[in-house]
Amino acid sequence: MKEKQIVIIGGGLAGLTASLHLASAGFQIKLFEKDTYPNHKVCGEYLSREILPYMNTLGAPLNLLNPVAIEQLLYSSPSGKVIKAELPLGGIGISRYALDNFLYQKALEGGVEVINDNITDIDFSENRFQILTVNGVVAESLLVLGAYGKRSLLDKKLNRGFIKKKTGWLAVKAHYELDSFPDNLVALHNFKGGYCGLSKTETSAINVCYLATYNSFKKHKNADVYKQEVLMKNKHLNSFFKKAKPLFSKDLTIAQISFDQKTRVQDHVLMLGDAAGLIHPLCGNGMAMAIHSAKIASETIIEHYDPMSLNRKKLEEVYNKRWNKTFRSRLQTGRILQKILLNPGMAEFSQNALNVFPSLLPGIIKRTHGNQVL
Ligand SMILES: Cc1cc2nc3c(=O)[nH]c(=O)nc-3n(C[C@H](O)[C@H](O)[C@H](O)COP(=O)(O)OP(=O)(O)OC[C@H]3O[C@@H](n4cnc5c(N)ncnc54)[C@H](O)[C@@H]3O)c2cc1C
């Protein structure tokens, strides 16, 4: 086995970022990704600015992708009442199609071995991991990072608690064209059963992504009928969908999204990004957290790695502690916000309160984001 070899499962934002960071520190990285690049992913595509300085230090400056600068939030309640606020730090609008592919190219340039395969099993024994892919590839490693996103069969294999519960959420995404949609705006429109985010990407397409409860969705025949009968009850979404031209032949859909707490370390696998915990999408911070968690894990590994006598317990404890310190309160605030926004009465009440005290909103947004990551 090569010294300083690490296996990463999943080549989304967390996995690719960790691969770049660790490869630059001299680790040999085998990264397994089940899908090919580039591809579209269900995501709001609003990326908080907090991680841009860190991406620069990794040699992956995201300004090369010509993202749009987003500085304003417009929020509407199901009845159509609107609040606008400046985003304290702001963000960029960038498609996952471009972003993940850019990091993938950077990983290849950085010497990361990217293997297009689906990991189906992980075994840890005698202080070593053995992983197995659907195509029968076997890899061995002293450390494995789980960066495989929200939900995977691997969660079942690892017997993780959250996977046993049914989740009530699904999400739908597509790109649209509408010239009059402002560049610098992220709009969050609430409807009965969920909310829908709209913002521009680097191609000028508007990414439209909504999260809905399965209970509200299942009463309708399909996503088109749901859009007509539920989303378009919000007058802002109604006006958008009437005017905008869809750019995808079919919406992308994912189901079984879990916001339950997850373990950061499971059977000695260090979990990153959504595999460690998913913040409610309305906070617009999941991508930044995925990237930041990769930084925390990489730094912890670099500090504690010793191929001859790895103190695994210490490494896991330090990672867990740093993760909690950085993200726990953001996730909690996200859970509270989601509860408020999905209760129509509370959503209207909180909106009235924010109209009276508009200065509260930037403070709430700050609580779901971090400071600049260097
Ligand atoms: C509806 C919705 C809207 C969102 N909007 C936003 C937003 O606007 N802004 C924001 O910051 N965040 C948003 N998020 C959150 C954001 O999308 C995630 O937090 C982010 O993608 C997490 O990155 P990740 O690398 O952990 O996972 P992913 O990006 O999902 O990457 C995981 C990768 O692992 C691969 N994989 C999975 N299993 C295996 C396996 N067994 N073997 C090999 N490969 C595997 C997958 O193919 C995938 O490429 C949203 C989330 C949802 C659900």
Side-chain angles (χ1 to χ4, degrees):
M1 182 188 303
K2 283 180 188 164
E3 218 181 287
K4 290 187 92 176
Q5 182 176 288
I6 293 181
V7 165
I8 300 180
I9 310 173
L13 299 180
L16 287 166
T17 305
S19 79
L20 280 171
H21 194 135
L22 290 164
S24 71
F27 286 85
Q28 281 130 3
I29 307 296
K30 268 185 199 269
L31 182 149
F32 288 81
E33 167 55 47
K34 67 180 171 59
D35 291 331
T36 51
Y37 302 92
N39 67 10
H40 286 287
K41 275 187 175 166
V42 175
C43 180
E45 303 191 333
Y46 166 85
L47 175 60
S48 167
R49 281 188 176 278
E50 68 205 54
I51 51 79
L52 298 184
Y54 171 55
M55 298 316 284
N56 293 343
T57 67
L58 292 181
L62 300 188
N63 60 349
L64 291 182
L65 296 171
N66 298 319
V68 295
I70 299 180
E71 286 116 20
Q72 283 206 322
L73 168 73
L74 181 149
Y75 167 76
S76 80
S77 67
S79 70
K81 278 189 220 153
V82 163
I83 310 180
K84 265 191 172 183
E86 293 295 317
L87 291 162
L89 194 56
I92 58 171
I94 182 84
S95 71
R96 295 298 298 271
Y97 189 88
L99 177 58
D100 290 39
N101 190 47
F102 175 72
L103 297 181
Y104 164 61
Q105 299 296 340
K106 289 285 171 198
L108 293 180
E109 284 167 27
V112 174
E113 185 184 354
V114 181
I115 301 154
N116 187 217
D117 210 341
N118 188 349
I119 294 189
T120 49
D121 215 346
I122 314 173
D123 180 57
F124 181 78
S125 58
E126 294 176 24
N127 205 26
R128 288 255 178 282
F129 289 95
Q130 199 174 60
I131 61 122
L132 179 71
T133 74
V134 77
N135 292 319
V137 174
V138 178
E140 274 194 34
S141 173
L142 189 60
L143 281 180
V144 166
L145 305 187
Y148 52 76
K150 293 176 256 311
R151 195 179 187 88
S152 159
L153 279 179
L154 289 175
D155 291 315
K156 266 198 183 148
K157 294 264 174 194
L158 292 168
N159 203 19
R160 299 183 83 192
F162 80 92
I163 202 84
K164 293 169 198 149
K165 293 189 205 159
K166 274 211 148 198
T167 88
W169 297 99
L170 58 88
V172 179
K173 165 241 175 83
H175 281 180
Y176 287 78
E177 189 183 303
L178 180 65
D179 288 343
S180 58
F181 192 91
D183 278 359
N184 68 343
L185 183 78
V186 56
L188 194 63
H189 297 299
N190 219 324
F191 56 86
K192 209 170 164 218
Y195 49 84
C196 180
L198 289 79
S199 55
K200 269 198 174 159
T201 68
E202 77 288 351
T203 63
S204 276
I206 298 143
N207 184 63
V208 175
C209 184
Y210 70 84
L211 187 81
T213 60
Y214 183 66
N215 275 344
S216 75
F217 192 85
K218 72 179 179 195
K219 296 177 198 141
H220 305 269
K221 218 164 78 196
N222 56 40
D224 277 342
V225 176
Y226 187 66
K227 192 202 286 176
Q228 297 280 342
E229 293 181 357
V230 181
L231 273 79
M232 289 173 73
K233 289 257 159 67
N234 178 312
K235 67 180 180 189
H236 305 284
L237 288 172
N238 189 303
S239 146
F240 177 84
F241 286 123
K242 277 190 176 145
K243 287 190 263 172
K245 179 175 147 206
L247 298 175
F248 287 3
S249 54
K250 200 167 175 279
D251 290 352
L252 301 181
T253 307
I254 52 169
Q256 293 290 327
I257 303 165
S258 171
F259 298 104
D260 280 349
Q261 289 197 28
K262 297 178 181 174
T263 44
R264 260 72 68 189
V265 181
Q266 182 81 38
D267 292 12
H268 305 292
V269 177
L270 300 191
M271 299 293 177
L272 318 181
D274 286 356
L278 174 61
I279 190 166
H280 286 285
L282 67 96
C283 304
N285 203 244
M287 291 198 275
M289 282 177 57
I291 290 170
H292 195 169
S293 69
K295 177 176 189 274
I296 295 172
S298 302
E299 286 171 347
T300 311
I301 290 168
I302 292 165
E303 279 165 37
H304 292 86
Y305 193 86
D306 179 349
M308 303 314 285
S309 65
L310 175 69
N311 187 342
R312 197 178 286 282
K313 188 164 177 268
K314 173 93 180 165
L315 186 152
E316 292 172 3
E317 274 171 11
V318 172
Y319 175 60
N320 197 30
K321 205 168 153 193
R322 289 179 179 168
W323 194 99
N324 270 326
K325 189 168 173 233
T326 315
F327 301 123
R328 210 160 71 169
S329 73
R330 266 184 241 188
L331 284 163
Q332 279 165 350
T333 310
R335 281 192 197 104
I336 296 167
L337 282 179
Q338 174 122 332
K339 269 204 181 117
I340 294 173
L341 291 188
L342 285 175
N343 175 317
M346 276 161 89
E348 295 292 338
F349 172 79
S350 57
Q351 184 151 23
N352 290 338
L354 286 169
N355 273 326
V356 180
F357 304 107
S359 58
L360 288 177
L361 192 53
I364 296 172
I365 297 167
K366 265 193 190 155
R367 288 185 65 87
T368 61
H369 286 68
N371 297 323
Q372 296 256 15
V373 183
L374 290 163

